[in-house]
């Protein structure tokens, strides 16, 4: 998605060979116009899929998801992060391990917000190792809902998440695919040089 890639080139900060900072439009400050274009692009890619709900995770997944939900005309549910698990029958729950933070957290969704009648589009801001996406997919499975696919704003293709999901037959639509981060420069998949 061209406007997104241009924004990443202009404002993205390469913090290391693994981390891209995009606080000026996605993770701290939000660019509503770009976010609207992102939502339209997700909606276009999943237009034929009869989506009934968008599922994401707090906090940075919410903005692109709301824009997609607006265009698709469906509710947006965001999983909440929990430190410890208070077991209850009212929630679907999955464990998410973060390689970046080296800790496991629970993510939960109230059963009232996702049912077996749903066809779900999972959206997140970043795809790195895929742990968050896999947690959301586990929640879709627990609900007995159908997974249409996963929409990602920025996929870091040099990490394993995208490969892991696609190998399971899951449809992954990433709007920007970062091939490498080096010497302060972002290289996208498909860049010639
Ligand atoms: P994974 O889910 O793909 O396995 O990723 P990981 O555990 O490594 O991600 C932990 C957090 O770091 C997530 O945000 C994820 O979106 C974010 N993240 C991963 N790689 C990058 C990156 O290169 N740049 C930036 N800016 N973020 C990255 P989170 O903790 O859930 O925070 P938030 O949603 O509240 O922002
Ligand atoms: Na994030
Ligand atoms: Na995220």
């Amino acid at each position: 998605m061209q406007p997104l890639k241009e924004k990443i080139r202009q404002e993205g900060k390469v913090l290391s060979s693994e981390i891209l900072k995009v606080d000026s439009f996605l993770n701290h400050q939000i660019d509503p116009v770009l976010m609207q274009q992102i939502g339209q692009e997700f909606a276009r890619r999943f237009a034929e899929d009869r989506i009934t709900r968008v599922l994401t995770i707090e906090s940075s997944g919410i903005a692109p998801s709301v824009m997609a939900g607006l265009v698709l005309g469906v509710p947006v549910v965001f999983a909440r992060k929990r430190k410890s698990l208070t077991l209850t029958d009212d929630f679907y729950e999955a464990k998410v391990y973060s390689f970046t933070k080296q800790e496991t957290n629970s993510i939960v969704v109230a059963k009232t917000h996702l049912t077996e009648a749903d066809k779900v589009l999972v959206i997140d801001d970043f795809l790195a190792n895929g742990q968050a996406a896999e947690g959301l997919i586990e929640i879709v499975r627990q609900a007995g809902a159908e997974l249409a696919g996963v929409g990602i704003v920025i996929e870091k293709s040099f990490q394993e998440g995208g490969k892991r999901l696609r190998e399971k037959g899951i449809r992954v639509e990433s709007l920007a695919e970062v091939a490498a981060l080096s010497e302060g420069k972002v290289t996208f998949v498909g860049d010639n040089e």
Side-chain angles (χ1 to χ4, degrees), residues 33-45:
V33 174
L34 179 63
M35 224 42 70
Q36 184 179 39
Q37 293 172 317
I38 285 168
Q40 286 164 342
E41 181 61 20
F42 282 136
R44 190 184 68 76
R45 294 191 189 198

Side-chain angles (χ1 to χ4, degrees), residues 109-121:
V109 171
K111 290 185 175 174
T112 45
H113 301 315
L114 203 59
T115 77
E116 60 193 14
D118 281 310
K119 188 157 182 193
V120 181
L121 169 57

